[in-house]
Amino acid sequence: MTYKQFPVIDPVATGENIVRLRQERGLSVRDLQAYFGFEEPQAIYK
C-alpha cells in the first residue's frame, strides 16, 4: 500500500508572503477583511 504525501506548509513563510503581496498591491488589512467577508480583522492576522 502506498501513501500519498501531503505538502508541508510553513505558517511563518506563508504569513510573510501574504503580508508582502498585500503591501505590494497597496491593500490594507481592512481591505482583505472586507474581501473575504470576515467580521473582525484578527482573522487576517491569524
Side-chain angles (χ1 to χ4, degrees):
M1 176 186 252
T2 59
Y3 291 98
K4 183 176 181 179
Q5 277 194 327
F6 293 98
V8 177
I9 298 172
D10 181 355
V12 174
T14 301
E16 290 170 353
N17 196 30
I18 291 170
V19 169
R20 180 183 56 80
L21 292 169
R22 178 181 62 79
Q23 290 173 343
E24 283 177 3
R25 287 159 177 78
L27 298 171
S28 70
V29 171
R30 295 277 182 188
D31 293 334
L32 289 181
Q33 174 190 344
Y35 179 79
F36 289 114
F38 297 141
E39 291 188 22
E40 298 294 328
Q42 285 82 4
I44 302 296
Y45 291 112
K46 288 181 182 181

